[in-house]
PDB file of all heavy atoms in Angstrom:
ATOM      1  N   VAL A1414     184.346  99.710  90.987  1.00  0.00           N
ATOM      2  CA  VAL A1414     184.897  99.577  92.359  1.00  0.00           C
ATOM      3  C   VAL A1414     184.732  98.126  92.837  1.00  0.00           C
ATOM      4  O   VAL A1414     185.567  97.565  93.521  1.00  0.00           O
ATOM      5  CB  VAL A1414     184.281 100.617  93.319  1.00  0.00           C
ATOM      6  CG1 VAL A1414     184.634 100.260  94.792  1.00  0.00           C
ATOM      7  CG2 VAL A1414     184.729 101.992  93.038  1.00  0.00           C
ATOM      8  N   SER A1415     183.547  97.570  92.518  1.00  0.00           N
ATOM      9  CA  SER A1415     183.261  96.166  92.977  1.00  0.00           C
ATOM     10  C   SER A1415     184.301  95.212  92.412  1.00  0.00           C
ATOM     11  O   SER A1415     184.657  94.194  93.046  1.00  0.00           O
ATOM     12  CB  SER A1415     181.847  95.783  92.595  1.00  0.00           C
ATOM     13  OG  SER A1415     181.691  95.635  91.175  1.00  0.00           O
ATOM     14  N   VAL A1416     184.751  95.498  91.224  1.00  0.00           N
ATOM     15  CA  VAL A1416     185.792  94.576  90.608  1.00  0.00           C
ATOM     16  C   VAL A1416     187.159  94.929  91.134  1.00  0.00           C
ATOM     17  O   VAL A1416     187.994  94.027  91.407  1.00  0.00           O
ATOM     18  CB  VAL A1416     185.781  94.649  89.055  1.00  0.00           C
ATOM     19  CG1 VAL A1416     186.849  93.854  88.440  1.00  0.00           C
ATOM     20  CG2 VAL A1416     184.362  94.205  88.469  1.00  0.00           C
ATOM     21  N   ALA A1417     187.443  96.138  91.244  1.00  0.00           N
ATOM     22  CA  ALA A1417     188.788  96.589  91.746  1.00  0.00           C
ATOM     23  C   ALA A1417     189.072  96.005  93.136  1.00  0.00           C
ATOM     24  O   ALA A1417     190.221  95.667  93.474  1.00  0.00           O
ATOM     25  CB  ALA A1417     188.890  98.148  91.834  1.00  0.00           C
ATOM     26  N   LYS A1418     188.020  95.802  93.926  1.00  0.00           N
ATOM     27  CA  LYS A1418     188.144  95.239  95.290  1.00  0.00           C
ATOM     28  C   LYS A1418     188.075  93.737  95.332  1.00  0.00           C
ATOM     29  O   LYS A1418     188.264  93.162  96.409  1.00  0.00           O
ATOM     30  CB  LYS A1418     187.178  95.876  96.209  1.00  0.00           C
ATOM     31  CG  LYS A1418     187.368  97.427  96.432  1.00  0.00           C
ATOM     32  CD  LYS A1418     186.352  97.988  97.401  1.00  0.00           C
ATOM     33  CE  LYS A1418     186.605  99.441  97.623  1.00  0.00           C
ATOM     34  NZ  LYS A1418     185.573 100.024  98.616  1.00  0.00           N
ATOM     35  N   ALA A1419     187.782  93.105  94.270  1.00  0.00           N
ATOM     36  CA  ALA A1419     187.595  91.659  94.203  1.00  0.00           C
ATOM     37  C   ALA A1419     188.948  90.942  94.221  1.00  0.00           C
ATOM     38  O   ALA A1419     190.010  91.517  93.895  1.00  0.00           O
ATOM     39  CB  ALA A1419     186.800  91.227  92.960  1.00  0.00           C
ATOM     40  N   ALA A1420     188.919  89.675  94.590  1.00  0.00           N
ATOM     41  CA  ALA A1420     190.134  88.863  94.559  1.00  0.00           C
ATOM     42  C   ALA A1420     190.592  88.698  93.106  1.00  0.00           C
ATOM     43  O   ALA A1420     189.768  88.463  92.226  1.00  0.00           O
ATOM     44  CB  ALA A1420     189.851  87.494  95.208  1.00  0.00           C
ATOM     45  N   PRO A1421     191.927  88.794  92.847  1.00  0.00           N
ATOM     46  CA  PRO A1421     192.391  88.648  91.484  1.00  0.00           C
ATOM     47  C   PRO A1421     192.524  87.217  90.987  1.00  0.00           C
ATOM     48  O   PRO A1421     193.580  86.792  90.506  1.00  0.00           O
ATOM     49  CB  PRO A1421     193.783  89.333  91.564  1.00  0.00           C
ATOM     50  CG  PRO A1421     194.212  89.051  92.935  1.00  0.00           C
ATOM     51  CD  PRO A1421     193.006  89.112  93.800  1.00  0.00           C
ATOM     52  N   ASP A1422     191.434  86.500  91.171  1.00  0.00           N
ATOM     53  CA  ASP A1422     191.502  85.048  90.798  1.00  0.00           C
ATOM     54  C   ASP A1422     190.764  84.678  89.508  1.00  0.00           C
ATOM     55  O   ASP A1422     190.663  83.531  89.156  1.00  0.00           O
ATOM     56  CB  ASP A1422     190.871  84.243  91.986  1.00  0.00           C
ATOM     57  CG  ASP A1422     189.427  84.718  92.326  1.00  0.00           C
ATOM     58  OD1 ASP A1422     188.861  85.489  91.579  1.00  0.00           O
ATOM     59  OD2 ASP A1422     188.930  84.274  93.343  1.00  0.00           O
ATOM     60  N   GLY A1423     190.290  85.673  88.811  1.00  0.00           N
ATOM     61  CA  GLY A1423     189.635  85.477  87.504  1.00  0.00           C
ATOM     62  C   GLY A1423     188.164  85.192  87.596  1.00  0.00           C
ATOM     63  O   GLY A1423     187.502  85.125  86.609  1.00  0.00           O
ATOM     64  N   TYR A1424     187.669  85.139  88.855  1.00  0.00           N
ATOM     65  CA  TYR A1424     186.182  84.826  88.988  1.00  0.00           C
ATOM     66  C   TYR A1424     185.266  86.080  88.926  1.00  0.00           C
ATOM     67  O   TYR A1424     184.128  86.005  88.749  1.00  0.00           O
ATOM     68  CB  TYR A1424     185.947  84.118  90.324  1.00  0.00           C
ATOM     69  CG  TYR A1424     186.303  82.638  90.212  1.00  0.00           C
ATOM     70  CD1 TYR A1424     187.550  82.194  90.684  1.00  0.00           C
ATOM     71  CD2 TYR A1424     185.440  81.690  89.805  1.00  0.00           C
ATOM     72  CE1 TYR A1424     187.928  80.924  90.593  1.00  0.00           C
ATOM     73  CE2 TYR A1424     185.744  80.362  89.664  1.00  0.00           C
ATOM     74  CZ  TYR A1424     187.061  79.904  90.113  1.00  0.00           C
ATOM     75  OH  TYR A1424     187.398  78.651  90.005  1.00  0.00           O
ATOM     76  N   THR A1425     185.965  87.246  89.052  1.00  0.00           N
ATOM     77  CA  THR A1425     185.243  88.525  88.889  1.00  0.00           C
ATOM     78  C   THR A1425     185.996  89.424  87.925  1.00  0.00           C
ATOM     79  O   THR A1425     187.169  89.731  88.209  1.00  0.00           O
ATOM     80  CB  THR A1425     185.098  89.238  90.274  1.00  0.00           C
ATOM     81  OG1 THR A1425     184.524  88.369  91.270  1.00  0.00           O
ATOM     82  CG2 THR A1425     184.334  90.488  90.160  1.00  0.00           C
ATOM     83  N   ILE A1426     185.368  89.693  86.828  1.00  0.00           N
ATOM     84  CA  ILE A1426     186.033  90.525  85.805  1.00  0.00           C
ATOM     85  C   ILE A1426     185.060  91.625  85.415  1.00  0.00           C
ATOM     86  O   ILE A1426     183.860  91.544  85.623  1.00  0.00           O
ATOM     87  CB  ILE A1426     186.433  89.693  84.523  1.00  0.00           C
ATOM     88  CG1 ILE A1426     185.231  88.968  83.940  1.00  0.00           C
ATOM     89  CG2 ILE A1426     187.628  88.804  84.881  1.00  0.00           C
ATOM     90  CD1 ILE A1426     185.544  88.255  82.703  1.00  0.00           C
ATOM     91  N   LEU A1427     185.576  92.688  84.838  1.00  0.00           N
ATOM     92  CA  LEU A1427     184.814  93.871  84.501  1.00  0.00           C
ATOM     93  C   LEU A1427     184.702  94.075  83.027  1.00  0.00           C
ATOM     94  O   LEU A1427     185.663  94.040  82.273  1.00  0.00           O
ATOM     95  CB  LEU A1427     185.504  95.166  85.132  1.00  0.00           C
ATOM     96  CG  LEU A1427     184.888  96.497  84.862  1.00  0.00           C
ATOM     97  CD1 LEU A1427     183.582  96.629  85.533  1.00  0.00           C
ATOM     98  CD2 LEU A1427     185.833  97.647  85.230  1.00  0.00           C
ATOM     99  N   ASP A1451     194.728  99.795  89.648  1.00  0.00           N
ATOM    100  CA  ASP A1451     193.762  98.841  90.282  1.00  0.00           C
ATOM    101  C   ASP A1451     193.217  97.814  89.292  1.00  0.00           C
ATOM    102  O   ASP A1451     192.354  97.007  89.678  1.00  0.00           O
ATOM    103  CB  ASP A1451     192.621  99.639  90.841  1.00  0.00           C
ATOM    104  CG  ASP A1451     192.994 100.502  92.047  1.00  0.00           C
ATOM    105  OD1 ASP A1451     194.023 100.135  92.664  1.00  0.00           O
ATOM    106  OD2 ASP A1451     192.325 101.483  92.383  1.00  0.00           O
ATOM    107  N   ALA A1453     193.905  95.018  85.753  1.00  0.00           N
ATOM    108  CA  ALA A1453     194.751  94.362  84.826  1.00  0.00           C
ATOM    109  C   ALA A1453     194.026  94.321  83.465  1.00  0.00           C
ATOM    110  O   ALA A1453     192.892  93.841  83.365  1.00  0.00           O
ATOM    111  CB  ALA A1453     195.061  92.955  85.274  1.00  0.00           C
ATOM    112  N   ALA A1592     188.586  93.873  81.832  1.00  0.00           N
ATOM    113  CA  ALA A1592     189.685  94.014  82.781  1.00  0.00           C
ATOM    114  C   ALA A1592     189.406  93.275  84.050  1.00  0.00           C
ATOM    115  O   ALA A1592     188.300  93.004  84.348  1.00  0.00           O
ATOM    116  CB  ALA A1592     189.916  95.491  83.116  1.00  0.00           C
ATOM    117  N   GLY A1593     190.523  92.880  84.754  1.00  0.00           N
ATOM    118  CA  GLY A1593     190.308  92.229  86.016  1.00  0.00           C
ATOM    119  C   GLY A1593     190.915  92.974  87.104  1.00  0.00           C
ATOM    120  O   GLY A1593     191.601  94.044  86.843  1.00  0.00           O
ATOM    121  N   PRO A1594     190.878  92.560  88.341  1.00  0.00           N
ATOM    122  CA  PRO A1594     191.495  93.243  89.482  1.00  0.00           C
ATOM    123  C   PRO A1594     193.046  93.200  89.259  1.00  0.00           C
ATOM    124  O   PRO A1594     193.570  92.270  88.650  1.00  0.00           O
ATOM    125  CB  PRO A1594     191.099  92.463  90.647  1.00  0.00           C
ATOM    126  CG  PRO A1594     189.870  91.659  90.256  1.00  0.00           C
ATOM    127  CD  PRO A1594     190.082  91.389  88.787  1.00  0.00           C
ATOM    128  N   ALA A1595     193.709  94.229  89.770  1.00  0.00           N
ATOM    129  CA  ALA A1595     195.172  94.251  89.707  1.00  0.00           C
ATOM    130  C   ALA A1595     195.734  93.048  90.427  1.00  0.00           C
ATOM    131  O   ALA A1595     195.138  92.554  91.384  1.00  0.00           O
ATOM    132  CB  ALA A1595     195.699  95.564  90.360  1.00  0.00           C
ATOM    133  N   GLY A1596     196.815  92.545  89.904  1.00  0.00           N
ATOM    134  CA  GLY A1596     197.446  91.379  90.513  1.00  0.00           C
ATOM    135  C   GLY A1596     197.058  90.032  89.928  1.00  0.00           C
ATOM    136  O   GLY A1596     197.500  88.956  90.354  1.00  0.00           O
ATOM    137  N   MET A1597     196.169  90.031  88.887  1.00  0.00           N
ATOM    138  CA  MET A1597     195.845  88.782  88.226  1.00  0.00           C
ATOM    139  C   MET A1597     197.086  88.164  87.616  1.00  0.00           C
ATOM    140  O   MET A1597     197.850  88.873  86.915  1.00  0.00           O
ATOM    141  CB  MET A1597     194.749  88.995  87.110  1.00  0.00           C
ATOM    142  CG  MET A1597     193.364  89.167  87.655  1.00  0.00           C
ATOM    143  SD  MET A1597     192.148  89.403  86.317  1.00  0.00           S
ATOM    144  CE  MET A1597     192.318  87.872  85.408  1.00  0.00           C
ATOM    145  N   PRO A1598     197.337  86.949  87.813  1.00  0.00           N
ATOM    146  CA  PRO A1598     198.545  86.289  87.227  1.00  0.00           C
ATOM    147  C   PRO A1598     198.530  86.382  85.719  1.00  0.00           C
ATOM    148  O   PRO A1598     197.490  86.376  85.086  1.00  0.00           O
ATOM    149  CB  PRO A1598     198.465  84.836  87.723  1.00  0.00           C
ATOM    150  CG  PRO A1598     197.618  84.857  88.930  1.00  0.00           C
ATOM    151  CD  PRO A1598     196.623  85.976  88.708  1.00  0.00           C
ATOM    152  N   LEU A1601     196.733  83.701  83.776  1.00  0.00           N
ATOM    153  CA  LEU A1601     195.291  83.730  83.869  1.00  0.00           C
ATOM    154  C   LEU A1601     194.772  84.877  82.931  1.00  0.00           C
ATOM    155  O   LEU A1601     193.751  84.660  82.280  1.00  0.00           O
ATOM    156  CB  LEU A1601     194.843  84.077  85.340  1.00  0.00           C
ATOM    157  CG  LEU A1601     193.389  84.108  85.614  1.00  0.00           C
ATOM    158  CD1 LEU A1601     192.714  82.803  85.234  1.00  0.00           C
ATOM    159  CD2 LEU A1601     193.184  84.363  87.092  1.00  0.00           C
ATOM    160  N   ILE A1605     192.061  84.091  79.850  1.00  0.00           N
ATOM    161  CA  ILE A1605     190.863  84.752  79.578  1.00  0.00           C
ATOM    162  C   ILE A1605     190.894  85.545  78.238  1.00  0.00           C
ATOM    163  O   ILE A1605     189.946  85.554  77.487  1.00  0.00           O
ATOM    164  CB  ILE A1605     190.516  85.751  80.741  1.00  0.00           C
ATOM    165  CG1 ILE A1605     190.345  84.904  82.037  1.00  0.00           C
ATOM    166  CG2 ILE A1605     189.236  86.497  80.426  1.00  0.00           C
ATOM    167  CD1 ILE A1605     190.126  85.776  83.286  1.00  0.00           C
TER     168      ILE A1605
END
Side-chain angles (χ1 to χ4, degrees):
V1414 170
S1415 68
V1416 175
K1418 294 181 177 180
D1422 55 11
Y1424 283 94
T1425 303
I1426 55 178
L1427 176 70
D1451 294 338
M1597 282 180 62
L1601 185 55
I1605 298 175

